[in-house]
Amino acid sequence: MAVTLVNPSGLPEIDVYRQVSIATGSRLVFIAGQVSWDAEGITVGEGDLAAQVEQCYLNIGTALAEAGGSFDDVAKLTFYVVDRTPDKMPPLLEGISRAAAKLGITPVPPATLLGVAALDVPDHLVAIEVTAIPG
């Protein structure tokens, strides 16, 4: 495994992600911000943040597999959430949990959550960008 995830002592321990990822591979994979499109480019979960997050994770899994990797190789996630407010955290976490169950993963790499005014199309509520180091 090319990525080791840790919570150093002296930093808060966050349940849904680790504070640090230590990468040892030499091949970097950068995955464009994944939105809730299916393979035909149709938005999945219009108006439903949890469903859109779930689809984003499924798309990330597809992209990682194409690069010869998996979620074990993810060094960093960046979430872009439209009109982010604190009440959007429960559906965001629900979407992650549903995707994790489908994919059989524990999604805890370091993550940054950013609120944005809009994304590529009005129906998209979230985009997730990935940096990975497949072994």
Side-chain angles (χ1 to χ4, degrees):
M1 187 176 338
V3 178
T4 302
L5 304 173
V6 297
N7 273 322
S9 62
L11 293 178
E13 189 168 317
I14 309 296
D15 290 338
V16 296
Y17 68 89
R18 301 298 176 259
Q19 295 282 5
V20 176
S21 65
I22 303 165
T24 57
S26 61
R27 191 167 64 101
L28 295 174
V29 175
F30 300 93
I31 298 174
Q34 293 299 298
V35 294
S36 63
W37 278 328
D38 65 12
E40 287 75 43
I42 296 170
T43 299
V44 173
E46 188 173 334
D48 181 343
L49 181 59
Q52 289 199 16
V53 169
E54 180 180 359
Q55 184 63 41
C56 290
Y57 265 77
L58 298 176
N59 292 348
I60 290 165
T62 299
L64 288 166
E66 179 67 24
S70 71
F71 274 91
D72 288 337
D73 302 311
V74 173
K76 175 84 166 63
L77 297 169
T78 303
F79 292 78
Y80 301 90
V81 179
V82 174
D83 298 326
R84 191 244 176 248
T85 55
D87 63 312
K88 292 190 177 175
M89 281 307 293
L92 188 128
L93 295 173
E94 177 188 337
I96 293 170
S97 292
R98 290 186 339 209
K102 282 185 178 178
L103 296 165
I105 62 167
T106 303
V108 293
T112 299
L113 178 90
L114 301 169
V116 296
L119 291 169
D120 57 336
V121 298
D123 291 342
H124 292 158
L125 304 175
V126 62
I128 306 171
E129 190 177 77
V130 180
T131 301
I133 298 92

